[in-house]
Amino acid sequence: MPKLGIDVDKYLRTQVLPTVWCPGCGNGNTVEGLATAFARLDVDPTQAVVVGGIGCSGRTPFYVATNAMHTTHGRALGYATGLKMAQPNLTVVVTMGDGDALAIGGNHFIHAARRNIDLTVLVYNNGIYGMTGGQGAPTTPFGSRTTTSLTGSIERTFDTIEIALAAGATYVARTTTFDMQEIPLRIEEAIKHPGFAVVEILSQCPTYYGRLNQIGDSSDMLVWERDRTEGLPVKMLNREELLGPLKTGVFKNERITEFTKAYSDLCARVGGSYGLS
Ligand SMILES: Cc1ncc(C[n+]2csc(CCOP(=O)(O)OP(=O)(O)O)c2C)c(N)n1
Ligand code: SF4
């Protein structure tokens, strides 16, 4: 694990390693990226909370040495919203699978984005339901095989970035587990951003997606991720260009009023008190 002159291990529960994840699962890349981002920002672990949903990716809080919440499938953003409203000074990072964030949790995702509450949301997009056996997800690429679409998915694919942008997220980025240097950079930007920040990380599930689609092992999947994406050009894209290879990079970085601040201002205006204490 690269140290880059900083103590990444301080942010990992090394005593519980190895993880429960399959060998070569992309989740480890993202956890390392998160720990690196925390280390570079010198985040106080007692003042940070990692909130996970359910699924393989939902296990992330088990391995990050901050406060942790392991919640329910699709509801991580509900818990995180309550936590942030009660304790607005905490750094709250929410880790969810694509199914967790955009299928069962889709409504929470769009409304948390609409409110612009200061949460960092990491969507681990492996295009499949990993934990429950490789079923199709809204993010499953059109035509690909899952255990519920053995002849190829005929459903159209949700684009996390388009949904986040349309719902009002104010920081929106995509990277991949191939881009190991970029993951901590994007997570750092998202944590520093005072608003709803979404980082989609295209990730590999070699056990189900890779095997069912005959992509190969984990390293073959990293090459596949590299080849199906390209960095954002420095210009606005039209609809046809957006339909080409998936773009990576920062799609939006805008500062507007954040929700806990708006609520605090409201309380001051009407003479109420803020928070639960
Ligand atoms: C309310 C509810 N419905 C269904 C499940 C079963 N379930 C657990 S994990 C999961 C899917 C996980 O897929 P994803 O969210 O994409 O995460 P991954 O495992 O791929 O990281 C499902 C359907 C559940 N735990 N709770
Ligand atoms: S089933 Fe897929 S997503 Fe889950 S741990 Fe294994 S490789 Fe990772």
Side-chain angles (χ1 to χ4, degrees), residues 15 17 38 52 55 69 119 143 163 171 205 213 230 253 259 277:
Q15 68 276 21
L17 297 177
F38 277 153
M69 285 175 85
L119 300 172
I163 293 166
Y171 176 92
C205 171
N213 293 284
E230 64 181 24
N253 191 353
F259 190 67
S277 58

Side-chain angles (χ1 to χ4, degrees), residues 1 25 29 70 87 124 144 154 163 174 188 211 214:
M1 185 174 293
C25 175
N29 303 35
H70 189 219
Q87 300 286 342
Y124 298 45
S144 40
I154 56 168
I163 293 166
R174 176 189 281 137
E188 269 182 79
R211 203 158 42 93
Q214 299 182 330

Side-chain angles (χ1 to χ4, degrees), residues 126-129 134-137 139-153 203-217 220-221 224 228:
N126 56 17
I128 211 159
Y129 283 3
Q135 296 88 350
T139 46
T140 298
F142 184 83
S144 40
R145 296 181 75 224
T146 69
T147 50
T148 49
S149 61
L150 285 171
T151 51
S153 172
S203 186
Q204 75 276 18
C205 171
T207 299
Y208 292 111
Y209 195 92
R211 203 158 42 93
L212 284 162
N213 293 284
Q214 299 182 330
I215 298 172
D217 66 12
D220 297 319
M221 288 199 79
W224 170 74
R228 74 181 178 127

Side-chain angles (χ1 to χ4, degrees), residues 82-168:
L83 178 65
K84 187 72 186 180
M85 289 302 289
Q87 300 286 342
N89 292 327
L90 292 176
T91 297
V92 182
V93 177
V94 189
T95 61
M96 294 177 289
D98 44 298
D100 203 350
L102 299 172
I104 192 169
N107 250 345
H108 287 273
F109 185 87
I110 59 176
H111 292 292
R114 177 176 64 82
R115 292 188 194 103
N116 194 36
I117 186 163
D118 182 19
L119 300 172
T120 294
V121 176
L122 307 184
V123 180
Y124 298 45
N125 184 356
N126 56 17
I128 211 159
Y129 283 3
M131 178 171 265
T132 41
Q135 296 88 350
T139 46
T140 298
F142 184 83
S144 40
R145 296 181 75 224
T146 69
T147 50
T148 49
S149 61
L150 285 171
T151 51
S153 172
I154 56 168
E155 293 192 21
R156 294 171 67 204
T157 310
F158 254 1
D159 183 321
T160 312
I161 302 300
E162 288 199 21
I163 293 166
L165 292 172

